[in-house]
Amino acid sequence: MKYKKALIFGTYDPLHYAHIRLFERASKLAREVYACTESDEIIRKNKKRDPFTTEIERVKDLRGIKYLKNVFIRTEKINRDFYVKMLKPDVLILGSDWKGKKWEGEGLGVKIIYLPRTEGISSTDIRNGLGISKIKTIQSKIQDCCKAVRGFIG
């Protein structure tokens, strides 16, 4: 391992395979990988849309990912600077799609590493391609199936 701690900021709304691959790649660079998701309030303000999943649902989903040591929520008051000071990461990790773009995490005094983006999938494409109502229907069916499987397995 090259680093002790890595921190990744993101919306993860909806969480998908490319996010998990990013966490997996990060885990090969650092012993501990932390994720920080945006609050519902920040998504509404910055993205000008309602979140697909609530911040609590996103945290629960992210905490189930084995590559992550812990997960936090970034709010207006508890911002990126707070988490950098608290966790003292050696590195901030972003997907390569952020390279060359202005990012609020610059200037925090921590090295930024851009990892390759998983092509062919993005949260925006998922939302736009399926439409929110169809995604919510699919999500509901998946949750029903999970409940049924849990009930069947015992």
Side-chain angles (χ1 to χ4, degrees):
M1 301 276 155
K2 194 171 185 177
Y3 302 100
K4 182 179 178 194
K5 291 182 187 176
L7 178 57
I8 306 175
F9 293 100
T11 306
Y12 315 117
D13 184 51
L15 179 67
H16 55 74
Y17 175 69
H19 295 131
I20 296 166
R21 294 222 25 221
L22 181 66
F23 302 141
E24 179 183 23
R25 289 179 185 133
S27 75
K28 292 177 181 173
L29 292 175
R31 275 181 283 165
E32 299 173 6
V33 179
Y34 298 86
C36 192
T37 186
E38 309 289 322
S39 68
D40 294 345
E41 166 193 23
I42 287 180
I43 291 174
R44 286 186 190 97
K45 180 182 171 190
N46 295 346
K47 307 262 185 186
K48 310 285 189 251
R49 65 170 175 80
D50 284 329
F52 168 63
T53 55
T54 69
E55 59 197 39
I56 299 304
E57 290 170 319
R58 289 192 303 280
V59 167
K60 284 181 183 177
D61 290 343
L62 288 163
R63 284 193 174 149
I65 297 170
K66 70 180 181 177
Y67 306 112
L68 298 175
K69 174 112 173 136
N70 208 344
V71 178
F72 306 96
I73 299 173
R74 180 177 88 94
T75 67
E76 288 289 327
K77 293 180 181 164
I78 305 172
N79 57 26
R80 289 183 176 110
D81 189 50
F82 171 85
Y83 288 111
V84 167
K85 286 177 182 173
M86 179 183 81
L87 294 169
K88 296 177 177 46
D90 304 296
V91 65
L92 299 176
I93 294 180
L94 293 173
S96 59
D97 52 322
W98 279 95
K99 202 167 199 162
K101 295 180 184 175
K102 182 156 173 44
W103 183 67
E104 294 172 13
E106 293 172 6
L108 293 176
V110 181
K111 180 179 180 169
I112 298 175
I113 293 180
Y114 298 91
L115 294 179
R117 184 178 186 279
T118 301
E119 294 298 325
I121 186 167
S122 75
S123 297
T124 302
D125 289 344
I126 291 169
R127 283 189 309 275
N128 292 343
L130 292 176
I132 295 296
S133 62
K134 194 177 261 186
I135 291 173
K136 288 193 183 254
T137 300
I138 291 168
Q139 183 184 34
S140 175
K141 287 181 181 182
I142 290 169
Q143 288 171 344
D144 289 345
C145 287
C146 288
K147 286 176 190 170
V149 169
R150 275 189 230 114
F152 178 73
I153 293 173

